[in-house]
């Protein structure tokens, strides 16, 4: 998760287990918009076998619904059928795995039957033409049967909900900017997966274009700091969100919201 950052540095911020795994979550964003519910990313879903779940330590089974995501939707009074838009930041299995589910007959179907699914056109192209380096993250059952609404670059999908290309992790990765009540929030997705990744060069080994990630961060941080965005972390097990501040020469998180 920390690429070329040496372990003695990163383990001070997140303690790994004996298999070098660190605790993470797959935090999705729900926007309760006047035009309908918008869900950003869908976690890992429940189509994977036991071996796959063990490698990544995935615990995603729901108590009432199929997944913890469906349980969380129910907790705020919504069912999968209520979702109007699903925005995928990209199509890696931990972001789009919950796009679909497998029914009792083994057929893969959309998890959100009344939703339109949106992704960058380039990301779908990249996902459907994998190579030896990218194939492990792109599992066709997560996206091949979905009639995507394809986006080309920055798009305001609904008033106040903007898809913002943030390339590097994948070439057509996007983040989502939400304006509400005079405030602006940015769901960063894998541009900055946890608050520990805020330093510009703390870039994941998974990123296919790490130097592009670096420049995307530099550009986004400038705006985020100037406009005081609230930044949301998809994979941080404790820090949900915060604003960008300074710690000496580097960046630091201020005004953090921490998971109870
Ligand atoms: Zn991810």
């Amino acid at each position: 998760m920390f690429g070329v950052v040496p372990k003695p540095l990163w383990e001070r911020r997140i303690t790994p287990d004996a298999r070098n795994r660190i605790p993470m979550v797959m935090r999705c964003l729900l926007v309760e918009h006047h035009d309908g519910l918008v869900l950003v990313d869908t976690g890992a879903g429940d189509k994977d076998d036991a071996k796959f779940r063990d490698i990544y330590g995935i615990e995603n089974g729901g108590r009432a619904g199929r997944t913890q995501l469906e349980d969380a939707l129910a907790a705020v009074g919504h069912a999968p059928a209520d979702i109007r838009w699903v925005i995928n930041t990209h199509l890696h299995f931990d972001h789009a795995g919950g796009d679909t589910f497998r029914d009792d007959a083994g057929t893969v179907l959309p998890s959100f039957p009344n939703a339109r699914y949106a992704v960058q056109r380039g990301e779908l192209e990249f996902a459907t033409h994998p190579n030896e380096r990218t194939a492990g993250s792109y599992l066709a059952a997560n996206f091949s049967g979905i009639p995507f609404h394809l986006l080309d670059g920055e798009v305001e999908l609904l008033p106040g909900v903007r898809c913002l290309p943030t390339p590097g992790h994948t070439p057509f990765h996007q983040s989502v900017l939400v304006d509400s009540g005079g405030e602006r929030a940015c769901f960063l997705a894998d541009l900055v997966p946890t608050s520990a990744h805020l330093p510009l060069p703390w870039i994941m080994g998974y990123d296919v274009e790490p130097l592009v990630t670096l420049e995307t961060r530099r550009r986004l941080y400038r705006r985020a700091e100037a406009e005081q965005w609230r930044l949301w972390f998809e994979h941080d097990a404790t820090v949900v969100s915060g604003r960008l501040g300074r710690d000496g020469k580097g960046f630091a998180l201020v005004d953090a919201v921490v998971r109870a």
Side-chain angles (χ1 to χ4, degrees):
M1 281 300 288
F2 291 98
V4 298
V5 178
K7 186 176 173 189
L9 293 184
W10 65 254
E11 72 179 355
R12 275 192 240 148
R13 308 197 62 164
I14 303 185
T15 307
D17 71 5
R19 289 161 68 181
N20 262 326
R21 301 178 302 183
I22 58 169
M24 297 201 294
V25 296
M26 296 173 286
R27 179 176 294 114
C28 309
L29 181 70
L30 181 71
V31 182
E32 295 176 302
H33 194 281
H34 300 300
D35 295 346
L37 296 176
V38 182
L39 179 63
V40 184
D41 282 348
T42 61
D46 69 340
K47 298 187 300 302
D48 305 304
D49 63 22
K51 184 184 173 196
F52 185 93
R53 291 198 306 272
D54 176 64
I55 290 170
Y56 294 99
I58 294 174
E59 297 163 9
N60 194 35
R63 285 166 205 264
R66 285 182 291 256
T67 59
Q68 290 187 18
L69 171 60
E70 292 189 12
D71 282 2
L73 285 172
V76 288
H78 305 304
D82 300 335
I83 304 292
R84 280 296 141 87
W85 284 97
V86 172
I87 300 173
N88 283 129
T89 60
H90 60 304
L91 296 173
H92 283 171
F93 66 80
D94 56 320
H95 298 256
D99 281 20
T100 59
F101 74 103
R102 198 171 270 122
D103 72 6
D104 294 337
T107 308
V108 174
L109 297 167
S111 304
F112 304 95
N114 300 317
R116 296 190 74 188
Y117 289 68
V119 73
Q120 288 288 326
R121 182 187 308 275
E123 174 65 17
L124 182 62
E125 178 75 13
F126 193 69
T128 50
H129 297 82
N131 58 35
E132 294 83 350
R133 169 73 162 73
T134 64
S137 299
Y138 288 120
L139 311 181
N142 294 335
F143 48 80
S144 61
I146 292 176
F148 279 102
H149 176 77
L150 296 173
L151 310 175
D152 295 294
E154 185 168 337
V155 176
E156 191 170 18
L157 196 62
L158 295 167
V161 178
R162 187 175 289 275
C163 296
L164 186 70
T166 46
H169 179 65
T170 67
F172 295 89
H173 180 277
Q174 62 184 354
S175 302
V176 178
L177 267 181
V178 180
D179 289 321
S180 179
E183 286 201 278
R184 179 165 275 185
C186 184
F187 188 76
L188 296 162
D190 278 346
L191 176 64
V192 188
T194 77
S195 59
H197 291 83
L198 267 183
L200 287 171
W202 286 46
I203 293 168
M204 286 191 278
Y206 293 107
D207 287 21
V208 295
E209 297 174 327
L211 297 182
V212 175
T213 300
L214 181 71
E215 297 311 320
T216 299
R217 283 184 179 180
R218 202 193 304 280
R219 213 168 43 239
L220 184 134
Y221 284 10
R222 213 173 285 138
R223 282 185 71 187
E225 193 177 28
E227 300 176 17
Q228 281 296 292
W229 295 357
R230 176 157 289 280
L231 305 175
W232 291 78
F233 300 102
E234 187 160 6
H235 289 311
D236 198 309
T238 50
V239 179
V240 175
S241 70
R243 294 182 209 280
L244 206 55
R246 296 278 177 161
D247 178 13
K249 279 188 205 150
F251 290 100
L253 203 66
V254 295
D255 196 12
V257 171
V258 175
R259 194 178 172 208

